[in-house]
Amino acid sequence: MRSLIGIILVIWLVIGAFAAYQRGYFGSDRNVSCKSTGDTVLTIVAGPLNYIGLNPKIKCGKVPQPSK
């Protein structure tokens, strides 16, 4: 039973990664930011739900800067 759940989880994440690839989230011309990274991770976690209309997006507030 545990191996079946593991296989389903891996397939779920692979489908999500493919959806992120189709949306161009893995291109080298994208700048890395909280929003782009969050959108990519949410798309991968959403897996097959991307193909029924889910388009997860994230809003990032101001990130605290380290002290000088």
Side-chain angles (χ1 to χ4, degrees):
M1 182 66 174
R2 215 191 284 193
S3 63
L4 178 64
I5 292 172
I7 291 170
I8 291 171
L9 179 63
V10 168
I11 291 171
W12 182 277
L13 294 175
V14 167
I15 292 171
F18 186 68
Y21 169 77
Q22 287 180 322
R23 290 184 178 160
Y25 288 166
F26 296 124
S28 61
D29 58 341
R30 290 179 51 130
N31 62 347
V32 177
S33 67
C34 172
K35 181 172 178 12
S36 65
T37 303
D39 288 347
T40 303
V41 170
L42 282 176
T43 299
I44 292 171
V45 170
L49 299 177
N50 290 291
Y51 294 103
I52 61 170
L54 183 69
N55 189 9
K57 297 289 182 184
I58 191 169
K59 291 183 181 180
C60 295
K62 294 225 176 207
V63 178
Q65 298 297 319
S67 59
K68 294 182 180 184

